[in-house]
Amino acid sequence: MAEKLLSPGADGRRVYVALGDSFTEGVGDYNSRLPNGVRGWADRVAEQLARADPGWQYANLAIRSKRLRQIIAEQLEPALAMEPTLITLYAGGNDILDLGTDIRALMKDYEYLVARLAASGATVVLFTGFDVRVSALLEPLKRRNALYNQRVREVAARYEAVLVDYWCFDAFYDPRMWDSDRLHMSKAGHKYLAGQVLGQLGVAHKVKPKEWAPAAKLGLRDRGRGQRRWVSDWVLPLFARKLRGVTLGDELSPRWPAPVRVPPKAGLKKLTAKVPAD
């Protein structure tokens, strides 16, 4: 399976390019020694690819808070210019959070992006979105998310993309799989997702999911305190940024803007001395 999905280019090149927003940038999997201060599932996938088959190159163009139109405008052509043999794409999640988004128009643009990527001849990996149950505040977005996932599945089938059906991963009902903002995966979540992506690609790997005892149940007072803290620390600042028209990614550059050869031993951290941190 892996040999068919991940065959090298005509010149023997194996290039993995990751596109998207905070999901793919790695937010929630923090590492101060790496570009933008994060690691993430895509870095972990690249490292495992290189261990299984040395010679892989890797670029990650994803930047937190990017909308689909920005990913098309800023990441599509640079990605195609790298002549990738493997592409991962998650895009549209931030658009779903924008109240004025026309979901049908969004998915038309999404299909345009996937069609361009698929036409390159690369193996394309797509993701559904998880039903994040963080608060009744976000329940109105559930219908949008369901429609988004339906269309992603249809597009994946139409363009023969590999589908990682994130929606179906019951492991993510454990709150420990999420960062404190409840919208981004924790380090454990990123590790788990890396394993799922590698599994879908048929790549042997050593990414092991976190084994936990059952989560302790919080009392009503503790749940209320946690909810108030979440609203104060994350929800209100999010809406304040929306009102000001700014995002957390405005001053950031892609973490790995050009393909780097991934060391099969020690992984990408071996390269950090050569890459200035943002």
Side-chain angles (χ1 to χ4, degrees):
M1 181 179 180
E3 185 176 348
K4 180 180 179 182
L5 290 174
L6 299 180
S7 56
D11 57 359
R13 294 170 71 249
R14 285 152 292 171
V15 182
Y16 166 31
V17 181
L19 308 181
D21 52 28
S22 57
F23 175 86
T24 301
E25 184 189 356
V27 174
D29 185 6
Y30 300 107
N31 189 318
S32 61
R33 296 175 297 173
L34 291 170
N36 292 2
V38 294
R39 186 180 182 188
W41 64 265
D43 277 24
R44 297 171 186 276
V45 167
E47 290 170 340
Q48 292 295 325
L49 288 171
R51 287 173 186 155
D53 187 14
W56 275 90
Q57 298 178 65
Y58 167 58
N60 189 326
L61 305 183
I63 297 177
R64 65 198 71 179
S65 305
K66 293 298 182 182
R67 272 57 179 173
L68 177 61
R69 67 183 182 278
Q70 295 170 312
I71 292 168
I72 293 173
E74 300 167 12
Q75 300 178 26
L76 173 57
E77 295 302 336
L80 294 177
M82 297 175 195
E83 300 181 359
T85 54
L86 172 65
I87 300 168
T88 58
L89 170 70
Y90 178 78
N94 289 309
D95 299 84
I96 291 173
L97 292 173
D98 292 336
L99 297 179
T101 296
D102 180 335
I103 190 69
R104 288 175 175 80
L106 175 74
M107 298 315 295
K108 184 176 180 179
D109 289 342
Y110 178 90
E111 182 166 358
Y112 164 80
L113 174 55
V114 173
R116 290 287 309 277
L117 296 174
S120 72
T123 296
V124 178
V125 179
L126 305 177
F127 300 80
T128 55
F130 191 71
D131 181 20
V132 183
R133 299 175 182 177
V134 295
S135 169
L137 292 171
L138 301 182
E139 279 301 302
L141 304 177
K142 191 170 183 176
R143 184 173 177 277
R144 284 189 189 181
N145 200 30
L147 181 56
Y148 172 88
N149 287 340
Q150 175 187 337
R151 293 287 287 118
V152 168
R153 294 186 182 102
E154 293 169 358
V155 169
R158 187 172 299 125
Y159 295 93
E160 299 183 335
V162 176
L163 178 65
V164 179
D165 208 348
Y166 188 32
W167 173 272
C168 299
F169 296 160
D170 289 345
F172 284 93
Y173 288 116
D174 190 313
R176 291 169 293 188
M177 297 288 271
W178 299 94
D179 192 21
S180 55
D181 65 2
R182 306 183 188 178
L183 291 173
H184 295 101
M185 293 177 289
S186 64
K187 178 176 291 188
H190 279 278
K191 288 182 68 174
Y192 183 92
L193 186 64
Q196 295 298 315
V197 173
L198 291 161
Q200 286 292 320
L201 292 172
V203 177
H205 62 87
K206 296 182 178 179
V207 179
K208 302 297 182 184
K210 188 79 172 179
E211 294 184 4
W212 282 308
K217 292 186 177 181
L218 298 177
L220 184 61
R221 180 177 297 178
D222 288 334
R223 289 201 303 273
R225 186 181 298 114
Q227 190 74 355
R228 289 190 296 274
R229 185 182 304 116
W230 174 68
V231 170
S232 174
D233 292 350
W234 297 105
V235 177
L236 295 180
L238 172 65
F239 282 106
R241 288 193 298 272
K242 286 181 178 294
L243 290 173
R244 299 198 309 273
V246 300
T247 76
L248 293 174
D250 289 345
E251 304 300 324
L252 294 178
S253 300
R255 300 184 55 243
W256 304 102
V260 294
R261 190 178 181 93
V262 183
K265 295 183 179 180
L268 291 161
K269 63 184 179 183
K270 192 172 182 179
L271 304 178
T272 54
K274 305 175 184 178
V275 181
D278 288 297

